[in-house]
Amino acid sequence: MIELVSASRCIKCNICVNICPTNVFDRVPDAPPAIARKSDCQTCFMCELYCPVDALYVAPETDLQTSVNEDELAQKGLLGSYRENIGWGTKRASTAKNDQTFQILKQMR
């Protein structure tokens, strides 16, 4: 579930507002987007994936509300960590060749 939009990292591009399939964010003039409908978050990570400056944190827990601290998330490298882990973004290497999802699909046949 979406937990944080970092005001210090956000460049106010509103890509997260536009990409969110469940309309979780509200655009705010001259400010980072607001998490307006947190309970509508489907934990799809699309906002975190498309954020060009790693300003978002989506917790992997879908039902639990988690208390987060931006400084701790930054120290642990968790801001934008989904994007980092799959290798999206400038100067990142794709991890697609390591994806083993096809093994699950083979077992389903």
Side-chain angles (χ1 to χ4, degrees):
M1 183 176 294
I2 182 70
E3 297 294 339
L4 179 79
V5 178
S6 170
S8 63
R9 289 184 179 206
C10 181
I11 58 173
K12 305 169 191 84
C13 66
N14 288 307
I15 291 174
C16 58
V17 175
N18 296 329
I19 201 72
C20 179
T22 56
N23 196 27
V24 166
F25 302 97
D26 275 348
R27 190 179 310 260
V28 179
D30 300 322
I35 301 171
R37 289 162 290 283
K38 186 174 180 175
S39 62
D40 289 349
C41 178
Q42 299 296 306
T43 317
C44 69
F45 292 90
M46 293 295 284
C47 57
E48 189 174 316
L49 187 62
Y50 279 88
C51 178
V53 292
D54 297 335
L56 301 174
Y57 176 69
V58 178
E61 296 82 13
T62 58
D63 297 329
L64 299 173
Q65 291 200 1
T66 307
S67 175
V68 296
N69 176 295
E70 182 174 347
D71 291 335
E72 288 179 17
L73 292 173
Q75 285 177 345
K76 293 178 181 177
L78 293 175
L79 282 169
S81 59
Y82 181 71
R83 192 165 171 257
E84 170 73 27
N85 287 332
I86 66 166
W88 262 37
T90 304
K91 299 180 182 176
R92 291 180 174 156
S94 171
T95 59
K97 66 182 175 195
N98 301 329
D99 184 7
Q100 297 296 309
T101 305
F102 71 93
Q103 295 293 346
I104 295 170
L105 297 174
K106 278 184 180 177
Q107 292 176 5
M108 294 174 68
R109 290 184 185 166

